Amino acid sequence: MLKILHTADWHLGKRLQEFPRIEEQKLVLDEICLIADEQEVDLVLLAGDIFDSFNPAHEAVELLYKTLRRLSKNGNRPIIAISGNHDSSQFVEAPDPLAREMGIFFYSRYDSLIPAGKLDSGVEVLRSESGFMELKLPKFDFPIRLILAPYAHEVSLRTYLGEENREEEFRNLLADKWKKLADQYCDEKGVNVFVGHFFFAKKGAPLEAEPESERPILHVGGTQALFTENLPSQIQYAALGHLHRFHAVDKNPCPVVYSSSPLAYSFSEADQEKQVVLIELEPGKPANYTPIGLKQGRPSYRKTFNNLPETLQWLEENPYCFVELTYQTKDSIDASTRKAILKAHDGIVNLIPQIQNPRNRDELTLKAEDLEKDMVSLFSLYFESVRGQEPNEELLTIFKEVISQEENK
């Protein structure tokens, strides 16, 4: 039985506002390496958004290479890593010739071709073409076929897949491309896997919300999503990246699964358990897959309080986390309360006042005659109508600087 570890959306180098996450990323990637070893995994799939930006910091790049070297077990455990919408395709593929010698295969462009050949470890690329590779591992007598679908915007798809008509549905274009690959290479004599970084949905089902921390994918061809029915029938498991929570989109034509990000990268992910997925496969049989929870890293919480003692007690009892804290108050959070809360915990990302009894909303509604007022007055009225309190002097000063710059352009 072939064992595959599916992970995605590492977002190396990402920050939570002013809070760096690199030390947590080191811990959770170490945990992923331990899981791979404990489960005796044969192959690792990294389904995109390796980095958080097109130009990642040196420490993020160093962390990636050290982690992949360990995961690959000196080339004996192959790793397939595709790019996501946060990754630079050129940057991701840059180390590929050297990495390939360690059994690490980067794939980010639809016109790329992974060279066939045998590595010193005995791992062999039997066949490949654009968007496809076939692997042979020494301990198995069957091949592993992988359809590779890194994120690509419309320009890339037109360039690399030959589409000239902007009105053509790229959903159908990709489905045709994948079907041709599957029909040519994916029979029941081998294991057949899809690895992609796109927004997939079951046709007719409600769409999942994309996480706040995720740059929304420019949906293919103006469509909302790709459909699971666009995947070839020969595929036994579809390993996806982009959504940050574990989510099994569909079971037809095979399990279509988002593994989740290894850490919570926004408060829309508060209280989510982060996971990797262990897949067990053999030719001609349905896949077995099991999510495995990750424990490392600071959890994220959204909490609401209406008095200081309860607030401070909870913060004291939960020191290792990030918090978006909403504080209910009749007016505004006074300076002494704000200071006490912020001093009590080093992971408060947002402290949000929630006015319990704002002035009569009718009084705060903007009226036609208000449009004759100056910009600062209008801003103050708008802020008060939304927040139930007047903007402070610091905020007004910033607003005045903004409109001054606009006026001087």
Side-chain angles (χ1 to χ4, degrees):
M1 187 80 75
L2 174 72
K3 288 187 176 183
I4 301 175
L5 191 70
H6 167 203
T7 180
D9 296 283
W10 287 4
H11 287 276
L12 299 181
K14 186 169 182 61
R15 302 171 70 89
L16 182 58
Q17 294 187 26
E18 74 271 21
F19 293 89
R21 309 296 300 279
I22 195 72
E23 294 305 318
E24 294 172 82
Q25 289 176 333
K26 290 177 182 177
L27 292 173
V28 78
L29 294 189
D30 179 68
E31 184 179 11
I32 290 173
C33 290
L34 290 173
I35 290 171
D37 290 343
E38 290 169 358
Q39 297 294 332
E40 299 181 337
V41 166
D42 303 300
L43 174 67
V44 176
L45 305 178
L46 175 50
D49 280 356
I50 302 167
F51 297 110
D52 191 56
S53 68
F54 286 6
N55 296 297
H58 170 74
E59 59 183 354
V61 177
E62 183 179 9
L63 177 56
L64 174 70
Y65 294 160
K66 285 183 175 179
T67 301
L68 294 186
R69 181 175 180 271
R70 180 178 171 189
L71 263 180
S72 75
K73 296 180 68 175
N74 295 318
N76 292 295
R77 178 194 289 143
I79 300 170
I80 314 299
I82 65 169
S83 61
N85 57 307
H86 279 250
D87 298 313
S88 161
S89 58
Q90 291 85 354
F91 190 93
V92 166
E93 281 199 7
D96 185 64
L98 180 60
R100 199 161 53 241
E101 296 302 312
M102 296 291 295
I104 303 165
F105 300 90
F106 290 103
Y107 195 84
S108 65
R109 295 165 59 95
Y110 275 77
D111 61 347
S112 293
L113 187 67
I114 295 172
K118 194 169 188 177
L119 305 179
D120 292 342
S121 62
V123 173
E124 186 175 3
V125 178
L126 298 175
R127 298 181 290 184
S128 74
E129 68 169 85
S130 174
F132 174 81
M133 69 182 299
E134 183 176 57
L135 274 179
K136 179 72 169 58
L137 307 188
K139 65 182 285 190
F140 296 101
D141 59 4
F142 55 82
I144 305 162
R145 291 74 171 261
L146 298 124
I147 293 179
L148 306 175
Y151 171 73
H153 49 70
E154 293 185 9
V155 173
S156 297
L157 291 174
R158 286 200 306 277
T159 301
Y160 303 144
L161 300 182
E163 176 56 51
E164 299 296 337
N165 183 0
R166 285 189 61 85
E167 300 302 318
E168 180 72 22
E169 289 188 8
F170 285 97
R171 174 190 291 146
N172 296 333
L173 177 68
L174 286 171
D176 289 344
K177 170 73 173 178
W178 298 333
K179 184 178 186 303
K180 288 176 183 177
L181 290 172
D183 288 346
Q184 183 174 356
Y185 297 111
C186 298
D187 58 29
E188 292 191 354
K189 296 179 181 178
V191 162
N192 306 311
V193 179
F194 177 93
V195 189
H197 193 95
F198 279 105
F199 188 29
F200 271 89
K202 182 178 180 179
K203 191 173 184 178
L207 294 179
E208 287 289 307
E210 294 176 89
E212 291 174 6
S213 60
E214 180 57 63
R215 183 181 302 133
I217 277 183
L218 298 175
H219 299 306
V220 177
T223 61
Q224 284 288 317
L226 299 177
F227 293 142
T228 53
E229 66 179 22
N230 299 136
L231 295 168
S233 60
Q234 298 94 326
I235 297 299
Q236 294 166 274
Y237 181 91
L240 303 182
H242 182 58
L243 297 185
H244 285 191
R245 73 175 182 89
F246 171 79
H247 177 49
V249 183
D250 203 348
K251 60 182 179 181
N252 292 313
C254 65
V256 182
V257 180
Y258 288 96
S259 63
S260 91
S261 58
L263 296 174
Y265 288 126
S266 77
F267 287 103
S268 66
E269 303 169 46
D271 301 318
Q272 289 181 5
E273 182 182 18
K274 297 303 181 177
Q275 298 170 320
V276 294
V277 183
L278 178 67
I279 311 149
E280 295 180 311
L281 279 169
E282 55 186 313
K285 295 185 178 180
N288 294 317
Y289 69 96
T290 306
I292 299 175
L294 298 171
K295 307 302 180 187
Q296 294 296 330
R298 283 188 172 195
S300 297
Y301 300 110
R302 277 176 165 154
K303 302 296 293 183
T304 300
F305 298 97
N306 59 16
N307 67 82
L308 186 58
E310 286 185 11
T311 306
L312 297 181
Q313 180 181 348
W314 188 90
L315 293 173
E316 182 181 352
E317 292 172 353
N318 297 272
Y320 187 67
C321 64
F322 290 113
V323 190
E324 183 177 84
L325 197 156
T326 298
Y327 193 81
Q328 297 174 335
T329 175
K330 291 182 178 179
D331 298 302
S332 60
I333 304 175
D334 60 75
S336 60
T337 299
R338 179 179 292 274
K339 182 178 179 180
I341 292 173
L342 295 177
K343 186 179 179 181
H345 200 284
D346 67 355
I348 298 175
V349 180
N350 298 313
L351 178 54
I352 304 169
Q354 185 180 80
I355 309 304
Q356 290 179 305
N357 296 302
R359 285 164 44 194
N360 190 297
R361 286 288 176 185
D362 291 337
E363 296 178 20
L364 301 177
T365 303
L366 293 175
K367 303 175 179 63
E369 54 266 29
D370 291 329
L371 298 179
E372 299 178 3
K373 296 179 179 178
D374 62 272
M375 289 292 290
V376 175
S377 299
L378 283 172
F379 173 74
S380 297
L381 285 170
Y382 172 75
F383 187 91
E384 197 171 355
S385 71
V386 173
R387 294 294 184 90
Q389 60 180 335
E390 296 179 357
N392 58 36
E393 284 302 318
E394 181 182 2
L395 188 57
L396 284 174
T397 300
I398 294 172
F399 181 75
K400 289 174 183 177
E401 291 176 357
V402 170
I403 62 175
S404 175
Q405 291 176 5
E406 289 297 318
E407 290 171 353
N408 292 329
K409 282 185 178 180

